[in-house]
Amino acid sequence: MTDSWGSLGTESVDRIRTRERAQLLDAARAMFGTFGYAQTTDEEVCEKAGVPVSMLYEEYGSLEGLLIALHDWVTTKGLRAAENAMMAEGMDECSMAERTRVLFDAYVKAVTEDPREARVTFVEVLGVSRTVDAHCKRWRDVWAHWLTGETQRAVMRGEAEEGDHKADVLVMVGTVHELMAHHTRRSRRARPEEVSRELWELALSMLGTQRTG
């Protein structure tokens, strides 16, 4: 396939590469999310994707790189869903309790609508390597920064206890991921609203925020 690209226009080559990247992500979702990352080989993913193994290495560097790319895709989807929900009309006037509820509802729905994506994001990335651990930590830092801003807003409005909540937020973000991993591993899949409410109650408890308002 690669040898034939010389006769194609640049736009066609770009379309082919975009399609094959998507095929690799789809295959990773199916294989990692069903059989597990550790039980999947490069060859199996590429066979599922219908692309040569060389394409995996050209686009993602390694099977681990493909895992990171899929984790990025799912986590970004969750973040964007939460951001969009928080920017909805009327949210600026909402209490911290309501804003947190809306945030978790949107995030949990986005990252659990495909159980395979949830498994990859919260289970299959655990203990793979220092590189994957560092990647996941960067995402936790993104969430911690955002939630720290939300907490500071609540303190200024008198909805949360005074004090520096940075440590609380870091613990909360780690606990959220642990709870998501727990629910993902369960044989009975919890409904998104059940998971969201559990995370919401945890957040309010840790931040000293009232549920009313």
Side-chain angles (χ1 to χ4, degrees):
M1 182 180 296
T2 304
D3 293 339
S4 66
W5 285 356
S7 61
L8 298 174
T10 302
E11 185 177 358
S12 297
V13 171
D14 289 343
R15 283 203 303 268
I16 291 171
R17 296 190 77 94
T18 298
R19 184 177 67 248
E20 292 187 337
R21 283 195 295 269
Q23 289 170 195
L24 282 166
L25 285 173
D26 286 343
R29 182 183 294 107
M31 302 296 290
F32 301 163
T34 302
F35 305 107
Y37 171 76
Q39 286 71 45
T40 303
T41 66
D42 304 12
E43 292 79 7
E44 288 170 336
V45 167
C46 292
E47 181 179 359
K48 179 76 172 177
V51 303
V53 175
S54 60
M55 180 58 61
L56 168 64
Y57 288 96
E58 289 175 17
E59 295 297 333
Y60 297 106
S62 64
L63 194 65
E64 184 178 290
L66 180 58
L67 173 68
I68 288 173
L70 181 55
H71 178 271
D72 255 345
W73 191 88
V74 179
T75 308
T76 299
K77 181 173 67 168
L79 178 63
R80 294 290 176 262
E83 287 177 335
N84 290 337
M86 299 294 276
M87 290 189 294
E89 185 177 356
M91 286 303 299
D92 284 343
E93 289 73 43
C94 288
S95 66
M96 172 68 169
E98 178 65 11
R99 286 170 65 89
T100 306
R101 184 190 66 77
V102 169
L103 182 156
F104 282 124
D105 281 351
Y107 173 73
V108 171
K109 180 179 179 181
V111 299
T112 63
E113 58 186 355
D114 186 332
R116 300 171 303 175
E117 291 181 353
R119 175 174 171 177
V120 170
T121 304
F122 300 107
V123 177
E124 295 305 318
V125 294
L126 300 177
V128 172
S129 69
R130 291 183 179 179
T131 299
V132 176
D133 288 347
H135 168 80
C136 293
K137 181 182 182 303
R138 286 193 292 273
W139 268 111
R140 289 194 296 272
D141 290 344
V142 169
W143 278 104
H145 177 75
W146 189 27
L147 292 173
T148 296
E150 284 292 313
T151 305
Q152 291 170 345
R153 177 183 182 277
V155 170
M156 291 176 61
R157 290 169 54 124
E159 298 172 340
E161 297 174 354
E162 292 283 349
D164 186 350
H165 289 282
K166 291 180 181 178
D168 293 333
V169 169
L170 285 172
V171 173
M172 183 179 72
V173 170
T175 305
V176 165
H177 281 75
E178 289 177 5
L179 284 173
M180 292 297 293
H182 165 71
H183 283 293
T184 301
R185 291 188 182 101
R186 294 175 64 186
S187 57
R188 183 189 75 82
R189 186 185 178 198
R191 295 193 303 273
E193 57 268 26
E194 294 175 333
V195 179
S196 176
R197 184 172 184 83
E198 186 174 350
L199 298 180
W200 177 66
E201 291 178 343
L202 167 71
L204 298 190
S205 174
M206 293 185 71
L207 300 176
T209 306
Q210 299 299 316
R211 300 184 192 181
T212 57

